[in-house]
Amino acid sequence: MVKPMPRLENCTWSCSCAARGRHKNQLGKTAVGLAAKVGEMLSSSVSSSPLTLVGHGTRSTSSLRSSSSSTSSLNLNQHLVQRSLVLFAVGAFMALVLNLLQIQRNVTLFPEEVIATIFSSAWWVPPCCGTAAAVVGLLYPCIDSHLGEPHKFKREWASVMRCIAVFVGINHASAKLDFANNIQLSLTLAALSLGLWWTFDRSRSGLGLGITIAFLATLITQFLVYNGVYQYTSPDFLYIRSWLPCIFFSGGVTVGNIGRQLAMGIPEKPHTD
């Protein structure tokens, strides 16, 4: 039997269907690939954006910290300069007044060409005493913060002014009071100086610094007197008066209280061992 030949329409239809199927498969693969790439791009952008934000936040925080630290250090330096100037002025003024009292009572003797000035005193006395007052006044609060023992006993300006008045009275007594000998005067001034420390300070650091200042100042004074810069009348303790360390001790405690009061505006740092 002769088989009938397939028609041309059937062949054309089957070929076109197969081509459409292949084209649809290619389009589907392309769409899937594009979707995958878009998903990867979105995921990468989402994951990188928090890191970028964190980086910007870290940089802004560090810049704020650096600016605040620089501002605080600048304020501390300005406050330190102001305290130094105030202490220098106080020390220079007190040196002029108290040294003039000693000269008038003939306790200390300067050469005639030295005291023939407007202040009747040596020119180097006020700047030297002012510098010493600035150093001592800045040292007291520094030692307190280093030891972790902030001084809180009578921290008020009224107490500081009373301490200054008592110190001037002690210095005045050394020139005005007449005793049978210098030993009695020295013991009296020593008791008054310890009373000044107990009344207005009562700290171990204040006592230790006062004794150290009295010792060093006495050595410097002995050196100046030995080299003929000036002299004391009736010396009884290595070219000087035996009561002079008491004056230096009470002066150190007084200037220390002034320095502590000036440092009240600075926040105290916690002590760490």
Side-chain angles (χ1 to χ4, degrees):
M1 293 181 63
V2 180
K3 295 181 180 180
M5 295 293 291
R7 295 182 180 181
L8 183 60
E9 292 85 357
N10 295 332
C11 294
T12 303
W13 184 82
S14 61
C15 292
S16 62
C17 289
R20 286 197 192 99
R22 287 194 299 271
H23 184 64
K24 289 181 178 179
N25 291 333
Q26 291 178 357
L27 289 176
K29 291 180 180 179
T30 304
V32 171
L34 289 174
K37 289 182 179 180
V38 170
E40 291 177 358
M41 292 174 63
L42 290 175
S43 62
S44 63
S45 63
V46 170
S47 61
S48 62
S49 60
L51 295 176
T52 305
L53 291 175
V54 170
H56 286 298
T58 305
R59 286 194 294 269
S60 62
T61 304
S62 61
S63 62
L64 287 175
R65 288 178 180 175
S66 61
S67 62
S68 62
S69 62
S70 62
T71 304
S72 61
S73 62
L74 181 61
N75 292 333
L76 287 176
N77 292 332
Q78 291 177 352
H79 199 270
L80 184 65
V81 172
Q82 293 174 358
R83 289 161 53 202
S84 302
L85 292 176
V86 172
L87 289 168
F88 181 86
V90 171
F93 177 75
M94 292 179 66
L96 281 175
V97 175
L98 300 179
N99 192 43
L100 181 61
L101 176 64
Q102 299 285 341
I103 293 173
Q104 289 179 348
R105 296 293 297 177
N106 292 324
V107 177
T108 56
L109 299 176
F110 287 91
E112 294 182 358
E113 64 273 8
V114 171
I115 63 175
T117 59
I118 188 172
F119 296 113
S120 297
S121 179
W123 65 268
W124 50 267
V125 172
C128 290
C129 293
T131 304
V135 173
V136 172
L138 295 176
L139 188 61
Y140 264 77
C142 289
I143 295 297
D144 291 338
S145 62
H146 180 72
L147 295 177
E149 298 177 355
H151 186 262
K152 299 184 181 298
F153 181 70
K154 292 186 178 181
R155 296 294 294 270
E156 55 190 8
W157 278 112
S159 176
V160 173
M161 298 306 295
R162 287 193 294 267
C163 182
I164 295 174
V166 173
F167 169 64
V168 174
I170 292 174
N171 197 292
H172 187 73
S174 67
K176 291 285 187 179
L177 295 181
D178 293 327
F179 284 85
N181 52 44
N182 286 330
I183 300 299
Q184 295 179 0
L185 178 60
S186 300
L187 293 176
T188 302
L189 294 180
L192 291 175
S193 300
L194 289 176
L196 181 143
W197 168 79
W198 181 257
T199 304
F200 300 103
D201 193 324
R202 295 189 187 183
S203 65
R204 293 180 297 174
S205 60
L207 180 62
L209 282 174
I211 294 174
T212 304
I213 291 167
F215 176 74
L216 294 177
T218 301
L219 287 181
I220 294 173
T221 304
Q222 288 175 339
F223 176 78
L224 294 176
V225 174
Y226 178 78
N227 285 277
V229 178
Y230 69 102
Q231 60 181 348
Y232 284 89
T233 57
S234 303
D236 61 329
F237 178 66
L238 297 176
Y239 311 107
I240 63 173
R241 291 288 188 94
S242 57
W243 47 259
L244 194 61
C246 304
I247 301 297
F248 290 142
F249 174 84
S250 57
V253 173
T254 302
V255 175
N257 282 337
I258 297 174
R260 283 167 170 168
Q261 191 65 33
L262 290 174
M264 282 288 289
I266 300 177
E268 297 172 348
K269 297 180 180 179
H271 176 67
T272 55
D273 294 332

